């Protein structure tokens, strides 16, 4: 059941990323890679909340007992692995370009070329994502009247 929650968060992560990028471009008439500080803030804020909200709702509905505990595991693994995976992919591209792999080079490359929201601040928000998931699971758990 927890592994299914990882799939739910990962699927909603990609759907949220594509829809938010499309809506940002449609609303502002600017490409996502222009004004990276604004687009990164918009995308990052949405990416910290929406996929983990969906994961928390899944945990609250699918786990009758221990929904909050399940939400922690359902959200923690994708929250950490997403950040590590993006960083490692960025490091591979930095190596391919012939540069040294340093934190600054990788972060600059990833935020400039791939995802503008991938900043040091975004990396520190993973506890917030887990908290959103646990809160959503607890709310849906209480709302449905389930007893733990």
């Amino acid at each position: 059941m927890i592994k299914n929650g990882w799939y739910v968060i990962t699927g909603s992560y990609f759907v949220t990323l594509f829809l938010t990028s499309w809506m940002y471009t449609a609303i502002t008439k600017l490409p996502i890679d222009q004004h990276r500080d604004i687009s990164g803030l918009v995308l990052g804020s949405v990416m910290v909340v929406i996929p983990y909200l969906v994961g928390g709702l899944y945990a609250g509905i699918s786990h009758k007992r221990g929904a909050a505990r399940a939400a922690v595991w359902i959200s923690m693994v994708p929250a950490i692995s997403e950040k590590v995976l993006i960083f490692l992919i960025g490091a591979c591209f930095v190596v391919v370009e012939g540069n040294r792999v340093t934190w600054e080079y990788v972060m600059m490359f990833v935020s400039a070329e791939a995802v503008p929201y991938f900043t040091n601040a975004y990396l520190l928000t993973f506890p917030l994502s887990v908290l959103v998931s646990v809160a959503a699971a607890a709310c849906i758990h209480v709302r449905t009247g389930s007893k733990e």
Side-chain angles (χ1 to χ4, degrees):
M1 289 284 236
I2 296 219
K3 187 167 62 170
N4 292 339
W6 297 342
Y7 296 142
V8 167
I9 287 180
T10 303
S12 63
Y13 176 89
F14 286 114
V15 169
T16 303
L17 178 62
F18 292 127
L19 285 177
T20 306
S21 299
W22 175 77
M23 287 175 32
Y24 177 84
T25 303
I27 292 170
T28 63
K29 306 288 190 247
L30 295 171
I32 203 74
D33 61 348
Q34 259 186 350
H35 303 291
R36 285 191 188 104
D37 52 346
I38 296 169
S39 65
L41 179 64
V42 170
L43 279 171
S45 300
V46 171
M47 297 308 294
V48 165
V49 175
I50 301 299
Y52 299 96
L53 182 66
V54 172
L57 294 175
Y58 170 80
I61 291 169
S62 66
H63 292 81
K64 300 300 179 203
R65 296 175 48 83
R69 186 180 27 211
V72 168
W73 289 109
I74 285 173
S75 61
M76 190 171 298
V77 170
I80 293 171
S81 60
E82 172 245 344
K83 290 160 182 60
V84 169
L85 185 63
I86 290 174
F87 187 85
L88 289 176
I89 291 170
C92 289
F93 278 104
V94 167
V95 167
V96 167
E97 289 188 359
N99 294 323
R100 289 183 308 126
V101 176
T102 64
W103 185 266
E104 291 81 21
Y105 280 152
V106 173
M107 293 302 286
M108 283 188 325
F109 176 82
V110 171
S111 66
E113 297 296 328
V115 281
Y117 61 89
F118 198 77
T119 61
N120 290 327
Y122 179 75
L123 293 176
L124 297 175
T125 61
F126 104 87
L128 180 61
S129 298
V130 174
L131 183 64
V132 165
S133 186
V134 170
C139 285
I140 196 75
H141 190 66
V142 168
R143 179 84 173 137
T144 59
S146 300
K147 302 221 186 295
E148 195 166 326

